[in-house]
């Protein structure tokens, strides 16, 4: 099993990056999100998912473990193959994908090439509980309440959902400042993501 590949990017094309490791070039299928993080002839690390069939051995590379996790979730859904999963993550990245599933936003998913309404509905149905859609699916053991209003259960849900996306407690606390404490979980997540994008 290949966990990740690390080395200079020797080839960078739409949907493909070649990483050289000890004289061997590993061709990895990538999303537009990952491609935006890479630069030709500069070192990079891609987390790998493998697809081994009788006629092919494909490597799928992701710049973050969060995107890799989203890809694994997507390909666990019946009818969603590697090509569709890459298209969805290319369309909006792991953050928008997670937000689309949490809020049941079919349009965000169908914006990806080759993804129809039925597939989008199936993705939302099968993954909503796995990306923070319900209390039961969330683990609050690592949530630090410092700086985040503890009186709002929606705030706690939004915090846990953002932590699943890889954000730290201080980042989340700062991003949620000024957000209406009576807002829904989905509204809080959107507010925080917008704040982080603006800050970046």
């Amino acid at each position: 099993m290949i966990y990740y590949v690390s080395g200079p990017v020797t080839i960078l094309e739409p949907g493909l990056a070649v990483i050289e490791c000890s004289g061997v070039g590993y061709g990895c299928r990538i999303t537009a999100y990952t491609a935006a993080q890479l630069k030709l002839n500069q070192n990079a690390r891609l987390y790998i998912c493998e697809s081994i069939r009788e006629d092919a051995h494909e490597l799928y590379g992701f710049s973050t473990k969060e995107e890799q996790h989203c890809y694994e979730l997507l390909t666990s859904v019946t009818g969603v193959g590697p090509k569709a999963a890459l298209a969805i993550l290319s369309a909006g990245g792991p953050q928008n994908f997670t937000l689309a599933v949490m809020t049941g936003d079919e349009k965000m998913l169908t914006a990806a090439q080759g993804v129809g309404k039925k597939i989008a509905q199936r993705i939302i149905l099968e993954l909503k509980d796995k990306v923070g859609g319900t209390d039961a699916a969330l683990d609050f053991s690592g949530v630090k309440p410092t700086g985040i209003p503890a009186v709002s259960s929606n705030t706690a849900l939004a915090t846990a959902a953002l932590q699943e996306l890889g954000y730290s407690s201080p980042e989340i606390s700062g991003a949620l400042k000024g957000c209406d404490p009576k807002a829904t979980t989905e509204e809080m997540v959107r507010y925080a993501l917008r704040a982080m994008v603006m800050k970046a």
Side-chain angles (χ1 to χ4, degrees), residues 52-135:
I52 302 175
R53 303 190 307 271
E54 288 185 6
D55 59 343
H57 182 180
E58 297 277 6
L59 300 180
Y60 298 90
F62 306 93
S63 60
T64 66
K65 294 179 75 173
E66 289 75 25
E67 189 186 26
Q68 180 193 43
H69 178 61
C70 289
Y71 172 85
E72 291 171 341
L73 286 174
L74 277 164
T75 52
S76 72
V77 176
T78 304
V80 179
K83 187 175 181 180
L86 291 181
I88 290 170
L89 292 172
S90 288
Q95 295 164 347
N96 282 341
F97 158 69
T98 302
L99 185 60
V101 174
M102 287 182 62
T103 59
D105 190 343
E106 295 175 16
K107 289 184 178 179
M108 192 178 293
L109 296 175
T110 55
Q113 185 176 4
V115 178
K117 186 174 181 179
K118 287 185 178 180
I119 289 293
Q121 290 173 338
R122 189 179 302 152
I123 290 170
I124 292 168
L125 180 65
E126 293 189 23
L127 298 184
K128 192 162 188 177
D129 290 350
K130 297 180 181 179
V131 295
T134 66
D135 297 53

Side-chain angles (χ1 to χ4, degrees), residues 13-30:
E13 300 174 350
L16 175 70
V18 176
I19 308 293
E20 184 175 332
C21 305
S22 302
V24 178
Y26 290 88
C28 306
R29 301 295 179 188
I30 60 172

